[in-house]
Amino acid sequence: MSQSIPVSWSSAEVMIPQTQVQPVEKLSNYDLVLRCQTGHRPQREAFAELLRRYQPHVEKILYHLAPDWQDRADLAQEVWIRVYRNIKRLNEPVKFQGWLSRIATNLFYDELRKRKRVNQPLSLDAPRMLDDGEMDWEIAADNPGPVEKLSTTEFYEQLHRAIADLPDAFRITIVLREIEGMAYEEIAEITGVSLGTVKSRIARARQRLQSQLQNYLDS
C-alpha cells in the first residue's frame, strides 16, 4: 500500500519571478511596434516613443518631396494618424521604417493629385533653407577649412535648389530613389507609372542635376 507524502511549499522555498517592465525609452523599435500591435488600440507610451524617434524621418521625406509647401507639418500629423490606424496591419515590425516611408510618400502623392485637380500650381521660387545633407555626394576633405566649409554649404544649397526646381515627376522619383532608397518597383507602384518610365525619369533627373551642379562637382 503506497503512502502519501505530504508536500508543503513555503515562501522561502519558492521564488516567483517578477516581470520587470522596461521603460519605453529603452525598448527597441521592434518591441515598440509589437506593443502598439497588442490590445484594442496602440499603447499610448509606445506609440509616443515611435513618434519621437521617427518624426525627423517623416519631416525629412516631406521636406525633400514638397520643399515649398507651407503645410508640411499638417501632412506629417496626417502621416501619424494613418500609422496609428493601420499599425496592426504591419506584418513585419522590423520593416517599420520602410512602411512609414511609404505612408508618407503615398500621402504626399495623394495630396499632389488633389492640388493638381484644383489647379494650384507649386511655387518653386520661395526661399529654401538647407537643414541636412542627406544626399550621398562625395566631397573630399578630411579637415575642411573656412573656405572649404563655405564651398560645401554652397554646394548643398545649390543641390537642394536643383532638386526643388526639377519638374514634379522627376523630383519625386529622384527623392524616392536617392534619398529614400526605394526600389524601382516600389516607386512605380507609388507613382502609378511603368517601371521603364521610372528608370527614365531617374536617369533624366540625374542628368539635369549633374548639369546644374557640374561647376561644384569639378571644383
Side-chain angles (χ1 to χ4, degrees), residues 92-174:
E92 299 180 77
V94 72
K95 296 182 178 180
F96 175 77
Q97 180 168 316
W99 179 71
L100 176 64
S101 298
R102 285 191 292 275
I103 288 178
T105 304
N106 284 327
L107 175 64
F108 160 77
Y109 216 75
D110 291 344
E111 185 64 22
L112 182 63
R113 292 191 186 99
K114 291 178 185 177
R115 298 185 186 206
K116 285 187 174 181
R117 282 200 296 268
V118 296
N119 296 319
Q120 292 183 351
L122 298 178
S123 170
L124 298 177
D125 298 321
R128 299 148 187 127
M129 297 297 294
L130 179 70
D131 61 9
D132 60 56
E134 299 296 334
M135 288 290 284
D136 187 19
W137 293 79
E138 188 174 343
I139 301 176
D142 293 332
N143 297 298
V147 175
E148 289 79 5
K149 288 181 180 179
L150 179 60
S151 298
T152 300
T153 300
E154 290 176 353
F155 169 76
Y156 282 120
E157 288 175 351
Q158 292 299 321
L159 172 61
H160 182 61
R161 288 193 177 99
I163 293 174
D165 287 338
L166 289 171
D168 290 343
F170 290 0
R171 188 183 72 251
I172 293 168
T173 51
I174 199 69

Side-chain angles (χ1 to χ4, degrees), residues 4 38 90 133 138 144 154 173-174 182 192 196 208:
S4 61
T38 302
L90 178 60
E138 188 174 343
E154 290 176 353
T173 51
I174 199 69
M182 290 188 179
R208 290 186 59 156

Side-chain angles (χ1 to χ4, degrees), residues 4 14 20 26 28 34 50 54 86 90 99 101 114 143 160 172 174-175 179 184 186 198 207:
S4 61
V14 180
Q20 293 184 349
K26 294 185 178 182
S28 66
L34 289 181
L50 279 176
Y54 284 98
N86 296 285
L90 178 60
W99 179 71
S101 298
K114 291 178 185 177
N143 297 298
H160 182 61
I172 293 168
I174 199 69
V175 167
I179 296 178
Y184 292 112
E186 288 182 289
V198 168
Q207 186 177 27

